[in-house]
Amino acid sequence: MGSGKKMWTAVSLATAVLAITAACGGQGADGEIKLRFSYWGSAARQKMTQEAIKKFEAKNPNIDIEEEFSDFGSYYETLATKVADGEAPDVITLEIRGLREYADRGTLADLASKVDTADIDGKVLATGAIDGKQFAIPTGVNAWSLVVDPKAVKDAGQRLPDDTMWTWEEYVDLAAQITARTGGKVYGTQEAFNPAFLQIFAAQRGESLYKGNKIGVSPNTLKAWWAVHRKLIKTKGSPDAAKSVELGSQGEDRSLFATRNGAMGMWWSNQLGSINKASGGKEVDLLRMPKVQGAPTGGMFLQPAMFYAASAKSERQAAAAKFIDFMINDPEAGAIILSDRGLPASSKVLAAVRDKLPETDKKTLAFLDEIKGELTDPPAAPPKHASAIEDILRRYTNEVLFSRMTPDDAAQKLITEANALIAG
C-alpha cells in the first residue's frame, strides 16, 4: 500500500512537471525566461556567484537565473542523473575530465560565435573544443604547483630551494629534514595524488598521461612516481600511508598546510587564496615543481580551472549563451568572482581586475607570468571515463602505499584496467 502511494505521487509529480514545461517551456506568462545554472563549490563561491547573478539579472530583467548548487563530492552524480532524466540544466559547469563524456553524449551545445571569445588565449580556448565544435568556454586558468610556507622552512633551519633546478630527490630530502628538525610537529610535506602531478612527472620523462585513446604512461614511470610517495612516507617527510590517504580525500582547507602542520604541498594555483584563508593568513609562496634528473621539460602546464557549457536540449540557448558571455567577459562579473574560477580567461577582464585581486592572487599572477615561457600547451580533453580512471589511479596507488601489491604488479594491472575502460 505504502509503495503504491509513493508511485502514485511520483507519477503525479512527473505529470505536473511535464504539463508545466509544455505550457511555458521555461518562460513565464510575463515573458520571463527561467535559466537553470549548475555549479559546485564552497559557501564563499556560492555567495560571490549569487552576487554576480544579481548583477546579470539587473542588466537582463527578463531572465531569471535559478542556481543548482552543490558541494563537489555530489556534483557529478547529481548532474549525471539530471542529464539521464532529460532534465539537464541550461548552463552547466564542467571540468576538463568530464567534457568529452558529455560532448560525445550530445548533451552540450556548440557555443562557437554565440559567446565572445576574442580575448581568450587560443590555446586555452581550444581545450573546450572537441572535433571542431566549441562545446565549452574556459572560466579561468591555473597551474598545478608546489606551495610552500617559507617561515616553516626557515624555522626548521632549512633553506628554500632554487626551484629552477631542484630534483625530486632534493624535495624528498628537504621534506624529511623539516619533519626531523621540528620533532614531527610540522611535516615537510603532504602527499598529493592528483593526476595533474602524474601528468607533470610523466612529461618530465617524455611521456603523456593519455596517448589518443590509451594510457600514455609507462609502467616504469608509474613505479618511479610511486617511489617518490613511498620514500616520503619512509623518511617521514610526509605522514604515514593511512594519514596521507585520509588527507588526500579532504579539501585544501583541512590540509596539513592550512592547519599549520605542514611546510609544503601541491595544489592548483587558484587554491592559494583558500589555503591562505584557512591557515589564518600565513605567508604562502608558489614554486616550480621539482624535476626528474636531466628532464628536458618541467612539464608544468596551464589548465582551465573549469568551463561553462550550455545544454543542447535547452529551449533557452540564446539566454544561456548571454549568461555565459556575461560571466566570462563582463568586468563587473570579473570584479566579483576575481580568481575563484582561475585567473580570468579573458585578458580584458584580467586587466580590469588585476589591481583588485587579493595579495595571494597577485602572487599567483606574478608566478604564472614568471614561468609562462616554461609552460607546455594546455592538454586536450582526456578520453571518456577520465573521472573513473582517476578512481583507478587512486585505488592502485593505495594498494602500493599499503604494500598490498608490488609496484610492478600494480602498474601492469592499472594500465590494463584503464585501457579496457577507455576502449569500452
Side-chain angles (χ1 to χ4, degrees):
M1 180 77 181
S3 61
K5 189 175 179 184
K6 270 184 199 162
M7 190 178 288
W8 181 88
T9 309
V11 170
S12 302
L13 278 171
T15 308
V17 167
L18 284 170
I20 292 165
T21 308
C24 62
Q27 191 159 317
D30 56 357
E32 187 179 85
I33 297 166
K34 290 199 183 300
L35 212 57
R36 290 164 55 221
F37 168 44
S38 70
Y39 69 102
W40 71 84
S42 61
R45 175 174 293 164
Q46 187 179 24
K47 194 178 172 191
M48 62 179 74
T49 305
Q50 286 170 342
E51 203 182 320
I53 286 170
K54 273 184 196 148
K55 193 77 78 175
F56 174 79
E57 288 174 338
K59 291 185 175 191
N60 300 275
N62 67 320
I63 304 175
D64 179 33
I65 306 290
E66 293 183 349
E67 53 169 352
E68 297 183 0
F69 171 79
S70 72
D71 63 7
F72 184 71
S74 60
Y75 180 77
Y76 282 108
E77 199 178 323
T78 309
L79 179 62
T81 305
K82 286 174 188 170
V83 170
D85 291 346
E87 293 173 8
D90 302 291
V91 177
I92 304 166
T93 307
L94 287 171
E95 292 172 292
I96 198 165
R97 61 180 178 166
L99 187 53
R100 191 175 294 275
E101 213 154 312
Y102 283 97
D104 285 359
R105 256 189 239 169
T107 306
L108 310 179
D110 184 359
L111 292 169
S113 76
K114 292 175 189 167
V115 174
D116 180 6
T117 56
D119 298 307
I120 299 175
D121 177 273
K123 286 178 178 174
V124 173
L125 183 63
T127 60
I130 292 172
D131 300 331
K133 291 184 176 175
Q134 193 70 47
F135 288 117
I137 312 293
T139 60
V141 291
N142 56 16
W144 184 256
S145 313
L146 204 290
V147 181
V148 65
D149 173 355
K151 187 176 183 302
V153 173
K154 194 178 172 189
D155 288 350
Q158 304 302 302
R159 276 193 310 198
L160 278 177
D162 173 356
D163 68 339
T164 60
M165 54 195 295
W166 69 324
T167 63
W168 290 106
E169 288 76 16
E170 286 167 324
Y171 166 67
V172 171
D173 186 52
L174 175 61
Q177 292 287 349
I178 291 167
T179 308
R181 293 290 185 93
T182 61
K185 288 194 182 98
V186 175
Y187 278 100
T189 195
Q190 175 174 323
E191 299 274 15
F193 305 112
N194 193 298
F197 174 13
L198 177 58
Q199 197 165 323
I200 289 168
F201 190 82
Q204 293 176 0
R205 296 167 64 98
E207 297 174 5
S208 56
L209 194 51
Y210 297 105
K211 203 170 184 177
N213 275 348
K214 281 195 155 185
I215 293 292
V217 181
S218 68
N220 279 344
T221 291
L222 275 170
K223 288 190 288 182
W225 188 64
W226 284 328
V228 172
H229 288 290
R230 293 174 87 196
K231 196 159 186 205
L232 281 170
I233 289 169
K234 191 180 176 186
T235 60
K236 295 188 167 60
S238 74
D240 62 22
K243 184 68 179 168
S244 291
V245 169
E246 181 196 329
L247 286 163
S249 67
Q250 295 171 352
E252 72 272 16
D253 55 340
R254 294 172 67 191
S255 63
L256 289 179
F257 199 95
T259 56
R260 297 178 177 257
N261 299 115
M264 296 185 286
M266 293 175 201
W267 288 279
W268 289 107
S269 55
N270 72 313
Q271 293 175 287
L272 201 62
S274 55
I275 291 167
N276 173 259
K277 209 173 196 170
S279 68
K282 76 174 181 180
E283 191 188 349
V284 287
D285 274 340
L286 286 168
L287 298 178
R288 293 166 175 85
M289 294 281 279
K291 292 187 187 77
V292 169
Q293 193 85 43
T297 172
M300 290 177 71
F301 56 92
L302 272 186
Q303 177 169 296
M306 56 192 84
F307 297 90
Y308 293 133
S311 166
K313 307 286 192 293
S314 171
E315 293 170 14
R316 300 163 288 282
Q317 282 186 29
K322 199 171 201 178
F323 178 61
I324 292 170
D325 196 280
F326 169 81
M327 294 293 277
I328 297 290
N329 292 311
D330 195 300
E332 287 192 64
I336 295 165
I337 292 161
L338 296 173
S339 67
D340 178 70
R341 288 163 164 89
L343 287 165
S346 160
S347 56
K348 190 175 74 182
V349 172
L350 180 58
V353 304
R354 201 177 184 113
D355 296 337
K356 300 184 183 88
L357 290 171
E359 283 310 308
T360 45
D361 293 333
K362 284 180 182 167
K363 206 171 254 190
T364 301
L365 184 54
F367 175 70
L368 292 182
D369 277 347
E370 185 191 336
I371 65 168
K372 199 162 43 185
E374 305 164 28
L375 298 171
T376 61
D377 286 351
K384 281 198 286 189
H385 308 301
S387 302
I389 286 164
E390 287 189 27
D391 296 335
I392 292 170
L393 176 62
R394 197 175 298 117
R395 179 159 34 90
Y396 283 106
T397 299
N398 288 355
E399 293 300 299
V400 170
L401 294 189
F402 287 106
S403 302
R404 294 190 291 250
M405 207 179 259
T406 67
D408 270 314
D409 202 17
Q412 296 293 347
K413 287 197 161 108
L414 184 155
I415 291 168
T416 304
E417 188 178 334
N419 281 338
L421 181 67
I422 296 169

